Amino acid sequence: PAALGKHDDIDCRVVMPLYRSVTPNVRNKMTYLKDITVEVGWRKQYCGIYTIQVGKVTYYLLDNPYYFMRDGMYGFYDDCERFVFFSRAVLEILPALDWKPDIIHCNDWQTALVPIYLKDDGVREERLRTVRTVLTIHNIEYQGRYNPYILGDLFGLDSGWAKDGTLLMDGDVNLLKGAILCADAVTAVSPTYANELKMAYFAHRLEGIISKCEYKLSGVLNGIDMKLYDPETDPRIAVNFSPRDMTG
């Protein structure tokens, strides 16, 4: 986002959960926008929208204490419900923001429902039909696999999404599989990893789906912030160093 923000013709915005680990320093600078209600199956859940500007990038932090005010981000028994809520909220906040992105970039299974919901909602809402999606796979081992019975109860999706094979794999709902099929483009975190995903050893049963979608797959090497992580000036490491001075 910071790199994209350097381009004047790109309006880059980030949506993320308001986790407990968001520091007080950041919270004190956030601006409250409004509350909306997000439907998670039959549940109607509160979602508070907060925003903060960092450089040229606008961040939206979505508040729901029940889902996100916890120690840690992943690894809870109800992770599926938590990220169904988040994926649903990503699209539900757009009318509240009076803004529509050209492209939504999703990462891993936690946001895999976004491309799926866009396809499903686009049948009824014309404003969403022109939004494109990019899915980045960081680690294909984590796929968001769950019992199919939750399809209607939690996802709010028709059983056809499973019956036609889009979401069903090895008897489970597989969110990453569905996102790979529904996204307009799929990227991996390096060209090497993109090639490895076509091999059974690395793909954890998804090599067939990856090969089917090879036409929209590419590898983009992970980048880092060269200024933030410069060891010559980084105040968070024990000893500063550079190629010219390796003392310590």
Side-chain angles (χ1 to χ4, degrees):
L4 290 172
K6 294 177 181 178
H7 297 267
D8 293 334
D9 58 341
I10 297 179
D11 179 5
C12 183
R13 310 187 186 190
V14 176
V15 185
M16 58 185 290
L18 182 53
Y19 291 115
R20 172 177 279 171
S21 57
V22 175
T23 63
N25 181 49
V26 173
R27 291 177 183 270
N28 292 337
K29 295 175 183 176
M30 296 188 316
T31 300
Y32 167 77
L33 294 180
K34 66 182 301 182
D35 291 359
I36 63 168
T37 298
V38 174
E39 293 187 3
V40 181
W42 50 266
R43 307 156 191 79
K44 297 184 183 297
Q45 303 287 32
Y46 150 81
C47 177
I49 309 171
Y50 292 82
T51 187
I52 184 172
Q53 190 80 16
V54 181
K56 292 186 178 181
V57 181
T58 301
Y59 288 79
Y60 299 109
L61 296 104
L62 306 187
D63 180 43
N64 182 292
Y66 174 68
Y67 291 133
F68 301 130
M69 192 58 69
R70 308 181 184 189
D71 293 325
M73 300 178 186
Y74 314 120
F76 298 98
Y77 76 95
D78 58 347
D79 274 359
C80 184
E81 182 177 340
R82 296 170 69 225
F83 292 106
V84 168
F85 166 82
F86 180 66
S87 296
R88 187 73 260 173
V90 167
L91 300 181
E92 295 295 334
I93 67 171
L94 296 180
L97 302 177
D98 192 26
W99 181 73
K100 190 183 81 169
D102 298 306
I103 301 168
I104 300 179
H105 180 193
C106 309
N107 293 273
D108 284 336
W109 78 262
Q110 287 88 352
T111 50
L113 273 165
V114 173
I116 297 163
Y117 279 143
L118 266 174
K119 298 289 187 188
D120 196 61
D121 293 354
V123 175
R124 297 174 294 278
E125 299 186 53
E126 186 175 354
R127 67 184 177 86
L128 297 176
R129 293 173 193 168
T130 58
V131 179
R132 300 293 177 253
T133 53
V134 179
L135 171 72
T136 294
I137 301 172
H138 297 260
N139 187 341
I140 202 168
E141 184 175 359
Y142 302 100
Q143 300 174 6
R145 295 177 58 174
Y146 295 97
N147 192 304
Y149 84 87
I150 65 175
L151 197 68
D153 177 70
L154 206 56
F155 296 176
L157 291 172
D158 185 84
S159 60
W161 281 94
K163 290 177 180 177
D164 71 359
T166 303
L167 287 178
L168 207 60
M169 183 172 173
D170 298 333
D172 294 335
V173 162
N174 188 309
L175 297 180
L176 192 62
K177 175 194 174 184
I180 292 168
L181 291 172
C182 290
D184 295 290
V186 179
T187 69
V189 292
S190 73
T192 300
Y193 193 48
N195 286 324
E196 288 176 347
L197 294 183
K198 303 170 193 174
M199 307 173 193
Y201 179 81
F202 296 100
H204 295 273
R205 303 274 299 140
L206 284 176
E207 64 275 4
I209 302 301
I210 292 292
S211 296
K212 180 178 180 179
C213 297
E214 185 176 0
Y215 70 95
K216 60 181 177 181
L217 172 68
S218 59
V220 180
L221 187 63
N222 260 343
I224 63 168
D225 187 323
M226 299 290 282
K227 185 176 180 181
L228 182 66
Y229 293 104
D230 183 352
E232 193 168 10
T233 57
D234 190 345
R236 295 162 298 181
I237 59 177
V239 178
N240 291 113
F241 63 94
S242 73
R244 296 175 304 280
D245 181 6
M246 300 289 285
T247 306

